[in-house]
Amino acid sequence: MNPWPFIIGAYAVTILGVVGLSLWSWITMRRAEADAENLRR
Amino acid sequence: MHIFANPARFLKLARPLTLWLGVGGAVLIALGLGSGLFLSPEDYLQGESVRILYVHVPAAWLAMGGWTGIALASLSQLVWKHPLAGVAGRAIALPGAIFTALCLITGSLWGRPTWGTYWEWDGRMTSMLILLFLYVGYIALAEADRERGGEGRVTAIFGLLGAINIPIIRYSVEWWNSLHQGQSISFSGGGSSIDTSMLWPLLASALGFSLLFGAIVLMRMRAILALQKVEARMRRLAA
């Protein structure tokens, strides 16, 4: 059995998952901190 | 840890640390995965499939490390009433769940060409699946508690009790018959059975994912603290 489709699949799902989680966390944090800052003004 | 009981002091440290952990993690992940894919040799038994372990093993370590962090945060919340402990537990839960899911998915993708099956109900895989359910339960409980305006005590007790699954995952390959191999890496003098050419990309990848996990947890903690600040101000304005 050719293992490369499984290897590429494993790397793709990991990279997409981790990049997606990082970006989502970053955007949520920036939005929440901006809201808190706006409310203080 | 009580030095960081003051959120302002915590934020002062967390802001630069988020960036450094994120950038350091990304560099180490690129180095570890690049080496794992293109430089490290294939295994004599597993062949090319061994390359999947450079993403699977760090995901498994962080899945277990994440719940260990939740358990420590829960203990700190229940015993010492640390004000940031509940925030830390909530911040760890989602990345922990995602790394557990990644561990299960990449493990299945490794199992098919190596064992000939995507899934087997052996002790290690079943206890990892239970860990994913525990994370989902913790997230649901924490969210329900937040909406109710509770102190998170029940969530913390759940976080502490769920830690019983961690040694079960760790020793499952010794306690029950399993398709999984025993421990290959030892930091306690027992020696590692894995070759150095495979060990260093694995360690670079594991350290990189760990640093990025830390950055994600800090980002989520900062978001939760900012949201709490907004909610508190809205309540004051409404009163």
Side-chain angles (χ1 to χ4, degrees):
Chain A
M1 182 182 284
N2 177 13
W4 280 101
F6 297 95
I7 298 169
I8 292 165
Y11 276 67
V13 81
T14 303
I15 290 166
L16 283 176
V18 170
V19 169
L21 175 65
S22 305
L23 279 178
W24 185 63
S25 303
W26 174 258
I27 291 165
T28 309
M29 177 197 76
R30 290 301 296 252
R31 199 171 288 165
E33 288 187 342
D35 285 350
E37 192 60 33
N38 288 339
L39 212 64
R40 213 173 60 169
R41 285 185 194 141
Chain B
M1 283 311 283
H2 274 73
I3 298 168
F4 303 112
N6 179 348
R9 194 174 292 168
F10 164 78
L11 286 172
K12 198 175 170 188
L13 183 76
R15 284 190 185 114
L17 206 57
T18 307
L19 182 71
W20 284 111
L21 289 178
V23 172
V27 169
L28 279 172
I29 289 169
L31 196 71
L33 296 193
S35 313
L37 263 182
F38 305 112
L39 296 180
S40 73
E42 63 179 84
D43 184 65
Y44 78 101
L45 201 59
Q46 303 170 41
E48 299 282 6
S49 308
V50 74
R51 301 187 195 286
I52 296 176
L53 298 186
Y54 299 115
V55 289
H56 173 69
V57 173
W61 283 351
L62 285 169
M64 296 200 302
W67 198 280
T68 306
I70 285 178
L72 291 174
S74 301
L75 188 71
S76 180
Q77 182 181 353
L78 291 170
V79 178
W80 297 289
K81 311 228 179 304
H82 195 292
L84 287 177
V87 174
R90 278 175 58 199
I92 293 169
L94 182 69
I98 287 179
F99 274 95
T100 309
L102 287 174
C103 168
L104 289 167
I105 294 167
T106 55
S108 290
L109 289 169
W110 177 81
R112 184 69 184 92
T114 314
W115 294 337
T117 180
Y118 284 107
W119 186 263
E120 187 65 42
W121 290 101
D122 82 338
R124 174 60 63 84
M125 282 186 264
T126 308
S127 52
M128 278 308 282
L129 185 64
I130 290 170
L131 182 64
L132 180 63
F133 295 153
L134 286 172
Y135 271 118
V136 173
Y138 183 93
I139 292 166
L141 211 53
E143 193 54 32
D145 194 71
R146 188 188 71 83
E147 283 175 7
R148 235 186 17 244
E151 291 176 4
R153 284 179 61 84
V154 175
T155 315
I157 291 168
F158 182 79
L160 212 49
L161 289 178
I164 197 144
N165 194 38
I166 299 302
I168 294 175
I169 296 172
R170 169 70 179 75
Y171 293 106
S172 57
V173 290
E174 293 169 28
W175 291 344
W176 300 295
N177 286 330
S178 173
L179 284 173
H180 274 86
Q181 65 199 58
Q183 193 174 319
S184 322
I185 299 171
S186 169
F187 298 105
S188 55
S192 299
S193 57
I194 182 171
D195 190 74
T196 318
S197 59
M198 294 175 173
L199 183 62
W200 79 262
L202 180 61
L203 292 181
S205 169
L207 184 61
F209 278 114
S210 303
L211 295 182
L212 194 62
F213 190 95
I216 291 167
V217 169
L218 286 180
M219 283 191 261
R220 288 180 50 77
M221 284 181 78
R222 286 169 60 181
I224 293 168
L225 287 172
L227 196 68
Q228 282 179 348
K229 211 184 283 180
V230 170
E231 284 173 353
R233 195 164 281 259
M234 296 296 264
R235 273 198 299 273
R236 273 204 304 275
L237 287 173

mmCIF file of all heavy atoms in Angstrom, chain B residues 16-64:
data_model
loop_
_atom_site.group_PDB
_atom_site.id
_atom_site.type_symbol
_atom_site.label_atom_id
_atom_site.label_comp_id
_atom_site.label_asym_id
_atom_site.label_seq_id
_atom_site.Cartn_x
_atom_site.Cartn_y
_atom_site.Cartn_z
ATOM 1 N N PRO B 16 4.100 40.188 25.504
ATOM 2 C CA PRO B 16 5.293 39.836 24.700
ATOM 3 C C PRO B 16 5.488 38.324 24.567
ATOM 4 O O PRO B 16 5.955 37.840 23.538
ATOM 5 C CB PRO B 16 6.455 40.469 25.475
ATOM 6 C CG PRO B 16 5.953 40.671 26.855
ATOM 7 C CD PRO B 16 4.472 40.860 26.752
ATOM 8 N N LEU B 17 5.089 37.574 25.616
ATOM 9 C CA LEU B 17 5.303 36.121 25.608
ATOM 10 C C LEU B 17 4.482 35.439 24.507
ATOM 11 O O LEU B 17 4.947 34.474 23.886
ATOM 12 C CB LEU B 17 4.912 35.555 26.983
ATOM 13 C CG LEU B 17 5.580 34.251 27.413
ATOM 14 C CD1 LEU B 17 7.086 34.366 27.402
ATOM 15 C CD2 LEU B 17 5.097 33.844 28.806
ATOM 16 N N THR B 18 3.288 35.952 24.240
ATOM 17 C CA THR B 18 2.435 35.365 23.196
ATOM 18 C C THR B 18 3.168 35.363 21.861
ATOM 19 O O THR B 18 3.202 34.352 21.149
ATOM 20 C CB THR B 18 1.118 36.181 23.051
ATOM 21 O OG1 THR B 18 0.520 36.299 24.330
ATOM 22 C CG2 THR B 18 0.154 35.516 22.095
ATOM 23 N N LEU B 19 3.783 36.506 21.540
ATOM 24 C CA LEU B 19 4.477 36.640 20.257
ATOM 25 C C LEU B 19 5.687 35.716 20.190
ATOM 26 O O LEU B 19 5.890 34.991 19.211
ATOM 27 C CB LEU B 19 4.898 38.101 20.055
ATOM 28 C CG LEU B 19 5.590 38.387 18.722
ATOM 29 C CD1 LEU B 19 4.592 38.303 17.581
ATOM 30 C CD2 LEU B 19 6.239 39.760 18.740
ATOM 31 N N TRP B 20 6.495 35.721 21.282
ATOM 32 C CA TRP B 20 7.724 34.924 21.268
ATOM 33 C C TRP B 20 7.422 33.426 21.194
ATOM 34 O O TRP B 20 8.096 32.689 20.457
ATOM 35 C CB TRP B 20 8.573 35.233 22.515
ATOM 36 C CG TRP B 20 9.273 36.547 22.400
ATOM 37 C CD1 TRP B 20 9.021 37.679 23.124
ATOM 38 C CD2 TRP B 20 10.302 36.906 21.460
ATOM 39 N NE1 TRP B 20 9.817 38.706 22.715
ATOM 40 C CE2 TRP B 20 10.630 38.272 21.694
ATOM 41 C CE3 TRP B 20 10.968 36.225 20.459
ATOM 42 C CZ2 TRP B 20 11.593 38.946 20.958
ATOM 43 C CZ3 TRP B 20 11.944 36.895 19.720
ATOM 44 C CH2 TRP B 20 12.245 38.229 19.980
ATOM 45 N N LEU B 21 6.416 32.986 21.949
ATOM 46 C CA LEU B 21 6.051 31.558 21.904
ATOM 47 C C LEU B 21 5.517 31.192 20.525
ATOM 48 O O LEU B 21 5.840 30.131 19.984
ATOM 49 C CB LEU B 21 4.997 31.241 22.972
ATOM 50 C CG LEU B 21 5.449 31.253 24.433
ATOM 51 C CD1 LEU B 21 4.275 30.966 25.353
ATOM 52 C CD2 LEU B 21 6.546 30.241 24.679
ATOM 53 N N GLY B 22 4.706 32.074 19.946
ATOM 54 C CA GLY B 22 4.113 31.796 18.629
ATOM 55 C C GLY B 22 5.172 31.702 17.542
ATOM 56 O O GLY B 22 5.186 30.749 16.762
ATOM 57 N N VAL B 23 6.073 32.681 17.516
ATOM 58 C CA VAL B 23 7.113 32.700 16.471
ATOM 59 C C VAL B 23 8.092 31.535 16.673
ATOM 60 O O VAL B 23 8.420 30.799 15.727
ATOM 61 C CB VAL B 23 7.868 34.052 16.468
ATOM 62 C CG1 VAL B 23 9.064 34.015 15.535
ATOM 63 C CG2 VAL B 23 6.922 35.177 16.065
ATOM 64 N N GLY B 24 8.534 31.332 17.933
ATOM 65 C CA GLY B 24 9.462 30.221 18.226
ATOM 66 C C GLY B 24 8.834 28.883 17.876
ATOM 67 O O GLY B 24 9.492 28.005 17.290
ATOM 68 N N GLY B 25 7.556 28.724 18.214
ATOM 69 C CA GLY B 25 6.852 27.478 17.908
ATOM 70 C C GLY B 25 6.769 27.234 16.421
ATOM 71 O O GLY B 25 7.046 26.128 15.940
ATOM 72 N N ALA B 26 6.414 28.281 15.647
ATOM 73 C CA ALA B 26 6.266 28.125 14.191
ATOM 74 C C ALA B 26 7.598 27.729 13.549
ATOM 75 O O ALA B 26 7.636 26.850 12.668
ATOM 76 C CB ALA B 26 5.748 29.428 13.596
ATOM 77 N N VAL B 27 8.701 28.351 14.019
ATOM 78 C CA VAL B 27 10.029 28.043 13.450
ATOM 79 C C VAL B 27 10.401 26.580 13.737
ATOM 80 O O VAL B 27 10.834 25.841 12.844
ATOM 81 C CB VAL B 27 11.104 29.008 14.017
ATOM 82 C CG1 VAL B 27 12.510 28.544 13.652
ATOM 83 C CG2 VAL B 27 10.856 30.424 13.515
ATOM 84 N N LEU B 28 10.203 26.165 14.994
ATOM 85 C CA LEU B 28 10.566 24.779 15.372
ATOM 86 C C LEU B 28 9.680 23.750 14.672
ATOM 87 O O LEU B 28 10.148 22.673 14.283
ATOM 88 C CB LEU B 28 10.477 24.616 16.888
ATOM 89 C CG LEU B 28 11.682 25.115 17.670
ATOM 90 C CD1 LEU B 28 11.406 25.079 19.155
ATOM 91 C CD2 LEU B 28 12.921 24.280 17.360
ATOM 92 N N ILE B 29 8.394 24.083 14.497
ATOM 93 C CA ILE B 29 7.491 23.156 13.794
ATOM 94 C C ILE B 29 7.956 22.998 12.345
ATOM 95 O O ILE B 29 8.034 21.876 11.819
ATOM 96 C CB ILE B 29 6.027 23.663 13.835
ATOM 97 C CG1 ILE B 29 5.468 23.533 15.261
ATOM 98 C CG2 ILE B 29 5.142 22.873 12.876
ATOM 99 C CD1 ILE B 29 4.143 24.245 15.474
ATOM 100 N N ALA B 30 8.284 24.128 11.686
ATOM 101 C CA ALA B 30 8.747 24.070 10.291
ATOM 102 C C ALA B 30 10.011 23.221 10.193
ATOM 103 O O ALA B 30 10.146 22.374 9.287
ATOM 104 C CB ALA B 30 8.999 25.483 9.773
ATOM 105 N N LEU B 31 10.924 23.410 11.161
ATOM 106 C CA LEU B 31 12.186 22.657 11.177
ATOM 107 C C LEU B 31 11.912 21.155 11.406
ATOM 108 O O LEU B 31 12.432 20.295 10.681
ATOM 109 C CB LEU B 31 13.060 23.202 12.305
ATOM 110 C CG LEU B 31 14.535 22.845 12.297
ATOM 111 C CD1 LEU B 31 15.234 23.571 11.163
ATOM 112 C CD2 LEU B 31 15.173 23.230 13.632
ATOM 113 N N GLY B 32 11.096 20.867 12.410
ATOM 114 C CA GLY B 32 10.816 19.466 12.773
ATOM 115 C C GLY B 32 10.061 18.735 11.677
ATOM 116 O O GLY B 32 10.434 17.617 11.294
ATOM 117 N N LEU B 33 9.003 19.365 11.150
ATOM 118 C CA LEU B 33 8.195 18.682 10.125
ATOM 119 C C LEU B 33 8.932 18.606 8.783
ATOM 120 O O LEU B 33 8.836 17.599 8.074
ATOM 121 C CB LEU B 33 6.839 19.384 9.946
ATOM 122 C CG LEU B 33 5.905 19.376 11.151
ATOM 123 C CD1 LEU B 33 4.496 19.817 10.751
ATOM 124 C CD2 LEU B 33 5.838 18.016 11.816
ATOM 125 N N GLY B 34 9.692 19.667 8.447
ATOM 126 C CA GLY B 34 10.493 19.638 7.216
ATOM 127 C C GLY B 34 11.504 18.506 7.269
ATOM 128 O O GLY B 34 11.645 17.729 6.310
ATOM 129 N N SER B 35 12.180 18.371 8.414
ATOM 130 C CA SER B 35 13.173 17.293 8.576
ATOM 131 C C SER B 35 12.471 15.940 8.593
ATOM 132 O O SER B 35 12.974 14.964 8.014
ATOM 133 C CB SER B 35 13.951 17.453 9.876
ATOM 134 O OG SER B 35 14.380 18.755 10.018
ATOM 135 N N GLY B 36 11.328 15.880 9.263
ATOM 136 C CA GLY B 36 10.586 14.619 9.335
ATOM 137 C C GLY B 36 10.128 14.142 7.971
ATOM 138 O O GLY B 36 10.146 12.948 7.678
ATOM 139 N N LEU B 37 9.753 15.098 7.118
ATOM 140 C CA LEU B 37 9.250 14.722 5.787
ATOM 141 C C LEU B 37 10.381 14.409 4.804
ATOM 142 O O LEU B 37 10.276 13.475 4.017
ATOM 143 C CB LEU B 37 8.409 15.871 5.214
ATOM 144 C CG LEU B 37 6.892 15.797 5.371
ATOM 145 C CD1 LEU B 37 6.235 16.990 4.707
ATOM 146 C CD2 LEU B 37 6.318 14.509 4.797
ATOM 147 N N PHE B 38 11.442 15.236 4.841
ATOM 148 C CA PHE B 38 12.430 15.151 3.759
ATOM 149 C C PHE B 38 13.813 14.637 4.165
ATOM 150 O O PHE B 38 14.554 14.156 3.321
ATOM 151 C CB PHE B 38 12.599 16.535 3.099
ATOM 152 C CG PHE B 38 11.296 17.120 2.618
ATOM 153 C CD1 PHE B 38 10.740 18.242 3.207
ATOM 154 C CD2 PHE B 38 10.601 16.510 1.573
ATOM 155 C CE1 PHE B 38 9.526 18.762 2.771
ATOM 156 C CE2 PHE B 38 9.390 17.021 1.127
ATOM 157 C CZ PHE B 38 8.852 18.149 1.724
ATOM 158 N N LEU B 39 14.193 14.764 5.443
ATOM 159 C CA LEU B 39 15.569 14.412 5.819
ATOM 160 C C LEU B 39 15.687 13.092 6.583
ATOM 161 O O LEU B 39 16.647 12.348 6.388
ATOM 162 C CB LEU B 39 16.190 15.532 6.675
ATOM 163 C CG LEU B 39 16.386 16.893 5.992
ATOM 164 C CD1 LEU B 39 16.999 17.884 6.974
ATOM 165 C CD2 LEU B 39 17.280 16.751 4.766
ATOM 166 N N SER B 40 14.743 12.821 7.449
ATOM 167 C CA SER B 40 14.883 11.626 8.298
ATOM 168 C C SER B 40 14.669 10.356 7.459
ATOM 169 O O SER B 40 13.924 10.372 6.475
ATOM 170 C CB SER B 40 13.889 11.683 9.461
ATOM 171 O OG SER B 40 12.602 11.436 8.992
ATOM 172 N N PRO B 41 15.323 9.264 7.884
ATOM 173 C CA PRO B 41 15.215 8.019 7.088
ATOM 174 C C PRO B 41 13.878 7.323 7.339
ATOM 175 O O PRO B 41 13.196 7.626 8.312
ATOM 176 C CB PRO B 41 16.364 7.174 7.627
ATOM 177 C CG PRO B 41 16.552 7.645 9.027
ATOM 178 C CD PRO B 41 16.199 9.105 9.044
ATOM 179 N N GLU B 42 13.531 6.400 6.458
ATOM 180 C CA GLU B 42 12.330 5.603 6.711
ATOM 181 C C GLU B 42 12.654 4.511 7.721
ATOM 182 O O GLU B 42 13.815 4.128 7.880
ATOM 183 C CB GLU B 42 11.762 5.028 5.416
ATOM 184 C CG GLU B 42 12.671 4.069 4.686
ATOM 185 C CD GLU B 42 12.011 3.525 3.414
ATOM 186 O OE1 GLU B 42 12.080 4.205 2.373
ATOM 187 O OE2 GLU B 42 11.446 2.426 3.488
ATOM 188 N N ASP B 43 11.627 4.030 8.411
ATOM 189 C CA ASP B 43 11.828 3.018 9.448
ATOM 190 C C ASP B 43 11.950 1.628 8.802
ATOM 191 O O ASP B 43 11.313 1.362 7.794
ATOM 192 C CB ASP B 43 10.630 3.057 10.403
ATOM 193 C CG ASP B 43 10.800 2.100 11.558
ATOM 194 O OD1 ASP B 43 11.720 2.317 12.362
ATOM 195 O OD2 ASP B 43 10.021 1.129 11.653
ATOM 196 N N TYR B 44 12.757 0.759 9.424
ATOM 197 C CA TYR B 44 12.972 -0.571 8.837
ATOM 198 C C TYR B 44 11.691 -1.413 8.846
ATOM 199 O O TYR B 44 11.506 -2.296 8.021
ATOM 200 C CB TYR B 44 14.099 -1.295 9.576
ATOM 201 C CG TYR B 44 13.704 -1.880 10.911
ATOM 202 C CD1 TYR B 44 13.423 -3.241 11.037
ATOM 203 C CD2 TYR B 44 13.592 -1.079 12.051
ATOM 204 C CE1 TYR B 44 13.052 -3.779 12.260
ATOM 205 C CE2 TYR B 44 13.213 -1.600 13.262
ATOM 206 C CZ TYR B 44 12.951 -2.942 13.363
ATOM 207 O OH TYR B 44 12.571 -3.476 14.570
ATOM 208 N N LEU B 45 10.783 -1.104 9.810
ATOM 209 C CA LEU B 45 9.557 -1.899 9.939
ATOM 210 C C LEU B 45 8.345 -1.144 9.368
ATOM 211 O O LEU B 45 7.551 -1.721 8.619
ATOM 212 C CB LEU B 45 9.324 -2.202 11.415
ATOM 213 C CG LEU B 45 8.435 -3.380 11.765
ATOM 214 C CD1 LEU B 45 8.979 -4.670 11.183
ATOM 215 C CD2 LEU B 45 8.320 -3.513 13.292
ATOM 216 N N GLN B 46 8.226 0.140 9.707
ATOM 217 C CA GLN B 46 7.043 0.909 9.294
ATOM 218 C C GLN B 46 7.198 1.527 7.916
ATOM 219 O O GLN B 46 6.212 1.999 7.343
ATOM 220 C CB GLN B 46 6.782 2.042 10.292
ATOM 221 C CG GLN B 46 6.592 1.609 11.703
ATOM 222 C CD GLN B 46 6.585 2.797 12.658
ATOM 223 O OE1 GLN B 46 6.005 3.835 12.376
ATOM 224 N NE2 GLN B 46 7.241 2.638 13.787
ATOM 225 N N GLY B 47 8.414 1.584 7.396
ATOM 226 C CA GLY B 47 8.647 2.237 6.103
ATOM 227 C C GLY B 47 8.412 3.733 6.191
ATOM 228 O O GLY B 47 8.688 4.370 7.213
ATOM 229 N N GLU B 48 7.856 4.309 5.109
ATOM 230 C CA GLU B 48 7.637 5.763 5.036
ATOM 231 C C GLU B 48 6.567 6.237 6.024
ATOM 232 O O GLU B 48 6.533 7.408 6.407
ATOM 233 C CB GLU B 48 7.211 6.156 3.609
ATOM 234 C CG GLU B 48 8.225 5.839 2.526
ATOM 235 C CD GLU B 48 9.379 6.822 2.468
ATOM 236 O OE1 GLU B 48 9.459 7.705 3.340
ATOM 237 O OE2 GLU B 48 10.216 6.698 1.552
ATOM 238 N N SER B 49 5.671 5.336 6.444
ATOM 239 C CA SER B 49 4.566 5.724 7.347
ATOM 240 C C SER B 49 5.070 6.338 8.647
ATOM 241 O O SER B 49 4.329 7.061 9.323
ATOM 242 C CB SER B 49 3.710 4.514 7.704
ATOM 243 O OG SER B 49 3.308 3.850 6.563
ATOM 244 N N VAL B 50 6.326 6.052 9.016
ATOM 245 C CA VAL B 50 6.884 6.586 10.263
ATOM 246 C C VAL B 50 6.830 8.114 10.286
ATOM 247 O O VAL B 50 6.791 8.727 11.352
ATOM 248 C CB VAL B 50 8.336 6.072 10.466
ATOM 249 C CG1 VAL B 50 9.311 6.771 9.527
ATOM 250 C CG2 VAL B 50 8.768 6.250 11.907
ATOM 251 N N ARG B 51 6.794 8.748 9.102
ATOM 252 C CA ARG B 51 6.781 10.227 9.031
ATOM 253 C C ARG B 51 5.530 10.812 9.676
ATOM 254 O O ARG B 51 5.538 11.959 10.128
ATOM 255 C CB ARG B 51 6.912 10.684 7.571
ATOM 256 C CG ARG B 51 8.182 10.178 6.914
ATOM 257 C CD ARG B 51 8.422 10.733 5.540
ATOM 258 N NE ARG B 51 9.430 9.948 4.844
ATOM 259 C CZ ARG B 51 10.731 9.980 5.105
ATOM 260 N NH1 ARG B 51 11.169 10.790 6.047
ATOM 261 N NH2 ARG B 51 11.582 9.207 4.463
ATOM 262 N N ILE B 52 4.455 10.030 9.706
ATOM 263 C CA ILE B 52 3.209 10.507 10.342
ATOM 264 C C ILE B 52 3.431 10.708 11.848
ATOM 265 O O ILE B 52 2.795 11.561 12.470
ATOM 266 C CB ILE B 52 2.044 9.510 10.072
ATOM 267 C CG1 ILE B 52 1.741 9.465 8.575
ATOM 268 C CG2 ILE B 52 0.789 9.893 10.851
ATOM 269 C CD1 ILE B 52 0.685 8.457 8.168
ATOM 270 N N LEU B 53 4.377 9.968 12.426
ATOM 271 C CA LEU B 53 4.588 10.064 13.869
ATOM 272 C C LEU B 53 5.144 11.434 14.289
ATOM 273 O O LEU B 53 5.026 11.814 15.447
ATOM 274 C CB LEU B 53 5.514 8.941 14.351
ATOM 275 C CG LEU B 53 4.958 7.526 14.128
ATOM 276 C CD1 LEU B 53 5.860 6.489 14.757
ATOM 277 C CD2 LEU B 53 3.548 7.381 14.670
ATOM 278 N N TYR B 54 5.752 12.183 13.345
ATOM 279 C CA TYR B 54 6.265 13.515 13.695
ATOM 280 C C TYR B 54 5.134 14.507 13.965
ATOM 281 O O TYR B 54 5.371 15.578 14.524
ATOM 282 C CB TYR B 54 7.195 14.056 12.592
ATOM 283 C CG TYR B 54 8.402 13.169 12.380
ATOM 284 C CD1 TYR B 54 8.593 12.482 11.181
ATOM 285 C CD2 TYR B 54 9.331 12.987 13.397
ATOM 286 C CE1 TYR B 54 9.682 11.647 10.993
ATOM 287 C CE2 TYR B 54 10.425 12.153 13.226
ATOM 288 C CZ TYR B 54 10.590 11.485 12.021
ATOM 289 O OH TYR B 54 11.668 10.650 11.848
ATOM 290 N N VAL B 55 3.910 14.187 13.507
ATOM 291 C CA VAL B 55 2.763 15.022 13.891
ATOM 292 C C VAL B 55 1.891 14.305 14.928
ATOM 293 O O VAL B 55 1.290 14.951 15.794
ATOM 294 C CB VAL B 55 1.885 15.447 12.676
ATOM 295 C CG1 VAL B 55 2.601 16.466 11.824
ATOM 296 C CG2 VAL B 55 1.443 14.258 11.835
ATOM 297 N N HIS B 56 1.845 12.973 14.855
ATOM 298 C CA HIS B 56 0.957 12.217 15.751
ATOM 299 C C HIS B 56 1.446 12.241 17.207
ATOM 300 O O HIS B 56 0.659 12.493 18.124
ATOM 301 C CB HIS B 56 0.856 10.775 15.247
ATOM 302 C CG HIS B 56 0.118 9.855 16.169
ATOM 303 N ND1 HIS B 56 -1.236 9.965 16.385
ATOM 304 C CD2 HIS B 56 0.552 8.815 16.938
ATOM 305 C CE1 HIS B 56 -1.603 9.027 17.247
ATOM 306 N NE2 HIS B 56 -0.546 8.325 17.602
ATOM 307 N N VAL B 57 2.738 12.002 17.413
ATOM 308 C CA VAL B 57 3.270 11.924 18.782
ATOM 309 C C VAL B 57 3.163 13.276 19.514
ATOM 310 O O VAL B 57 2.671 13.314 20.648
ATOM 311 C CB VAL B 57 4.716 11.361 18.785
ATOM 312 C CG1 VAL B 57 5.338 11.428 20.167
ATOM 313 C CG2 VAL B 57 4.721 9.926 18.272
ATOM 314 N N PRO B 58 3.568 14.425 18.892
ATOM 315 C CA PRO B 58 3.369 15.700 19.597
ATOM 316 C C PRO B 58 1.899 15.964 19.907
ATOM 317 O O PRO B 58 1.575 16.484 20.987
ATOM 318 C CB PRO B 58 3.908 16.746 18.610
ATOM 319 C CG PRO B 58 4.870 16.014 17.765
ATOM 320 C CD PRO B 58 4.332 14.624 17.639
ATOM 321 N N ALA B 59 0.996 15.586 18.992
ATOM 322 C CA ALA B 59 -0.440 15.802 19.253
ATOM 323 C C ALA B 59 -0.876 14.978 20.462
ATOM 324 O O ALA B 59 -1.634 15.466 21.311
ATOM 325 C CB ALA B 59 -1.251 15.422 18.015
ATOM 326 N N ALA B 60 -0.379 13.744 20.568
ATOM 327 C CA ALA B 60 -0.742 12.881 21.707
ATOM 328 C C ALA B 60 -0.193 13.459 23.009
ATOM 329 O O ALA B 60 -0.887 13.502 24.034
ATOM 330 C CB ALA B 60 -0.196 11.470 21.475
ATOM 331 N N TRP B 61 1.069 13.912 22.989
ATOM 332 C CA TRP B 61 1.675 14.498 24.205
ATOM 333 C C TRP B 61 0.889 15.722 24.653
ATOM 334 O O TRP B 61 0.631 15.909 25.842
ATOM 335 C CB TRP B 61 3.134 14.881 23.934
ATOM 336 C CG TRP B 61 4.066 13.706 23.924
ATOM 337 C CD1 TRP B 61 3.760 12.417 24.292
ATOM 338 C CD2 TRP B 61 5.442 13.698 23.520
ATOM 339 N NE1 TRP B 61 4.871 11.613 24.127
ATOM 340 C CE2 TRP B 61 5.903 12.369 23.663
ATOM 341 C CE3 TRP B 61 6.321 14.664 23.040
ATOM 342 C CZ2 TRP B 61 7.208 11.997 23.345
ATOM 343 C CZ3 TRP B 61 7.618 14.298 22.737
ATOM 344 C CH2 TRP B 61 8.055 12.978 22.891
ATOM 345 N N LEU B 62 0.512 16.585 23.688
ATOM 346 C CA LEU B 62 -0.203 17.821 24.057
ATOM 347 C C LEU B 62 -1.632 17.535 24.482
ATOM 348 O O LEU B 62 -2.178 18.265 25.315
ATOM 349 C CB LEU B 62 -0.160 18.818 22.897
ATOM 350 C CG LEU B 62 1.212 19.482 22.751
ATOM 351 C CD1 LEU B 62 1.315 20.254 21.457
ATOM 352 C CD2 LEU B 62 1.470 20.409 23.935
ATOM 353 N N ALA B 63 -2.242 16.497 23.922
ATOM 354 C CA ALA B 63 -3.594 16.110 24.358
ATOM 355 C C ALA B 63 -3.554 15.749 25.843
ATOM 356 O O ALA B 63 -4.383 16.208 26.633
ATOM 357 C CB ALA B 63 -4.083 14.930 23.528
ATOM 358 N N MET B 64 -2.544 14.959 26.240
ATOM 359 C CA MET B 64 -2.420 14.556 27.649
ATOM 360 C C MET B 64 -1.897 15.717 28.505
ATOM 361 O O MET B 64 -2.348 15.930 29.629
ATOM 362 C CB MET B 64 -1.487 13.352 27.772
ATOM 363 C CG MET B 64 -2.048 12.116 27.073
ATOM 364 S SD MET B 64 -1.332 10.583 27.626
ATOM 365 C CE MET B 64 0.362 10.777 27.316
#
